[in-house]
Amino acid sequence: MATFTDRDQQIQKLHELIKNIDYGMFTTVDDDGSLHSYPMSKSGEINSEATLWFFTYAGSHKVTEIEHYKQVNISFSSPEQQRYVSISGSAELVKDRNKMRELWKPELQTWFPKGLDEPDIALLQVNISQVNYWDSASSFKPQTISFLTPSRI
């Protein structure tokens, strides 16, 4: 199992792994311990803080689940490129209008017909702790990128 040590290289590698994959399955944990997965479109690219962003409705069930159990997983796949990425981290609801304006893209109008004027629109911020991936370039042995720092443990 390979582990990268330079944070910038880690973030760049993750960026390369998911850059052409817009949708992932966003998995949360319900109060009874069951897992729920939702197709979600990532908004923007991974940033230098190892964070991903997703638009959502603040009143959705997934937000309730995250308020009770912050641990989430997002899986991205590109079978034609033999690329599979599983991202673990913690999520939180963010209602920062400036951040929403920064991340908004017209394609989101499909799910949010009123755009940024949707009264219940919000963001999910996912702070990534670990990435497991398989790609044809690195064989089918799982590779790991860890973003765990003392502040994220």
Side-chain angles (χ1 to χ4, degrees), residues 96-152:
D96 180 332
R97 300 304 274 179
N98 290 328
K99 190 67 175 176
M100 285 185 232
R101 278 190 286 282
E102 173 190 329
L103 295 173
W104 182 258
K105 53 187 179 181
E107 308 87 86
L108 292 167
Q109 203 91 26
T110 302
W111 296 278
F112 305 96
K114 295 179 183 174
L116 292 173
D117 293 329
E118 285 284 345
D120 198 33
I121 196 168
L123 289 166
L124 289 174
Q125 177 181 345
V126 177
N127 299 308
I128 301 169
S129 55
Q130 183 170 306
V131 177
N132 293 305
Y133 68 93
W134 300 260
D135 67 357
S136 58
S138 64
S139 83
F140 282 105
K141 289 184 176 180
Q143 306 293 307
T144 300
I145 300 171
S146 179
F147 291 104
L148 291 175
T149 62
S151 65
R152 287 196 170 177

Side-chain angles (χ1 to χ4, degrees), residues 1 8 25 41 46-47 55 58 82 85 95 105 107-108 110 112 122 132 144 146-147 153:
M1 175 166 55
D8 292 335
M25 292 302 290
S41 174
I46 180 173
N47 68 17
F55 278 89
Q82 297 182 8
V85 183
K95 294 183 178 182
K105 53 187 179 181
E107 308 87 86
L108 292 167
T110 302
F112 305 96
N132 293 305
T144 300
S146 179
F147 291 104
I153 296 178

Side-chain angles (χ1 to χ4, degrees), residues 11 27 35 41 65 75-76 92 109 122 135 147 150:
I11 290 171
T27 303
L35 301 175
S41 174
E65 292 170 328
S75 58
F76 294 95
E92 61 184 288
Q109 203 91 26
D135 67 357
F147 291 104

Side-chain angles (χ1 to χ4, degrees), residues 2-143:
T3 303
F4 293 99
T5 53
D6 178 61
R7 187 171 181 84
D8 292 335
Q9 282 184 322
Q10 293 171 326
I11 290 171
Q12 182 59 35
K13 177 63 178 178
L14 180 54
H15 171 77
E16 291 297 318
L17 287 167
I18 65 174
K19 74 176 178 181
N20 295 321
I21 309 172
D22 290 330
Y23 295 90
M25 292 302 290
F26 192 103
T27 303
T28 58
V29 181
D30 207 348
D31 287 339
D32 66 0
S34 62
L35 301 175
H36 295 154
S37 296
Y38 310 86
M40 300 276 289
S41 174
K42 66 183 174 13
S43 295
E45 301 300 332
I46 180 173
N47 68 17
S48 62
E49 300 298 315
T51 301
L52 280 173
W53 296 90
F54 299 86
F55 278 89
T56 191
Y57 285 103
S60 68
H61 187 68
K62 72 179 146 297
V63 171
T64 302
E65 292 170 328
I66 289 167
E67 287 171 346
H68 295 160
Y69 191 78
K70 293 186 181 299
Q71 296 303 309
V72 298
N73 182 275
I74 306 106
S75 58
F76 294 95
S77 68
S78 177
E80 59 279 351
Q81 296 176 331
Q82 297 182 8
R83 185 177 306 149
Y84 305 90
V85 183
S86 175
I87 298 172
S88 301
S90 60
E92 61 184 288
L93 188 69
V94 175
K95 294 183 178 182
D96 180 332
R97 300 304 274 179
N98 290 328
K99 190 67 175 176
M100 285 185 232
R101 278 190 286 282
E102 173 190 329
L103 295 173
W104 182 258
K105 53 187 179 181
E107 308 87 86
L108 292 167
Q109 203 91 26
T110 302
W111 296 278
F112 305 96
K114 295 179 183 174
L116 292 173
D117 293 329
E118 285 284 345
D120 198 33
I121 196 168
L123 289 166
L124 289 174
Q125 177 181 345
V126 177
N127 299 308
I128 301 169
S129 55
Q130 183 170 306
V131 177
N132 293 305
Y133 68 93
W134 300 260
D135 67 357
S136 58
S138 64
S139 83
F140 282 105
K141 289 184 176 180
Q143 306 293 307

